[in-house]
Amino acid sequence: MGIELPTVEVRFEQLTVQAKCHVGSRALPTLLNTARNIAESALGLCGVRLGRQATLTILKDVSGVVRPSRMTLLLGPPSSGKTTLLLALAGKLDPTLRRTGEITYNGFRLDEFVPQKTAAYISQNDVH
C-alpha cells in the first residue's frame, strides 16, 4: 500500500524528578495525619508553614533514547522509578512533582508536541 506510519523518537537528558513528602510518623496515612495535613494546607494559603517535609529524589540525572520502531524493555527492582520515568515521558506526571531536565519528541519539547496523538501510556492494574 505504501502507507508510512508516523514514528517518534523520544530523548530524555538529565531528567530528575523530586517530591516533597512528610517524614517519620507523619508519613503514615492516619486520620490524625490527614486532619493535620488539611489544617496545614489551609494555613499554607495564608503563608504559615508548620510541617517539616523532606525532598525525595525519585529519578536523578537519567538520560536515554527510545528509538522508533524498536521494542524497549525497562527493568528495575520495585520502587526504582520505572513508572515515574514512563509517566514523565508520556507527559502525565503529577503536577506536585518537580521535574528538571529535557524531554524531546522528534526534537520538539513537551510543550511543543502532543505525545497523546502518537503514543499511549496505559497504567498497569495488578489484581492479586
Side-chain angles (χ1 to χ4, degrees):
M1 296 281 243
I3 298 173
E4 275 194 44
L5 296 175
T7 59
V8 178
E9 179 180 86
V10 181
R11 291 182 176 270
F12 49 100
E13 296 176 6
Q14 304 297 316
L15 182 62
T16 299
V17 177
Q18 295 178 327
K20 293 269 188 187
C21 57
H22 291 285
V23 294
S25 63
R26 284 296 302 276
L28 298 173
T30 63
L31 187 58
L32 177 63
N33 285 339
T34 302
R36 288 176 68 183
N37 292 342
I38 292 171
E40 286 178 7
S41 294
L43 289 172
L45 295 174
C46 300
V48 178
R49 301 277 181 221
L50 294 176
R52 192 178 106 232
Q53 291 185 336
T55 301
L56 174 69
T57 302
I58 302 169
L59 297 174
K60 184 176 180 183
D61 295 331
V62 179
S63 298
V65 178
V66 179
R67 300 210 185 271
S69 304
R70 302 242 177 118
M71 186 178 295
T72 303
L73 179 64
L74 180 61
L75 293 174
S79 299
S80 63
K82 299 178 299 289
T83 301
T84 303
L85 175 62
L86 292 175
L87 287 172
L89 296 180
K92 295 186 175 187
L93 266 183
D94 190 300
T96 60
L97 297 176
R98 182 173 169 260
R99 179 184 68 86
T100 59
E102 187 171 313
I103 300 172
T104 58
Y105 304 85
N106 287 345
F108 296 99
R109 292 190 319 269
L110 184 59
D111 57 349
E112 302 170 329
F113 188 82
V114 181
Q116 291 82 3
K117 290 186 177 182
T118 57
Y121 174 76
I122 301 165
S123 63
Q124 177 179 323
N125 188 10
D126 290 332
V127 179
H128 296 284

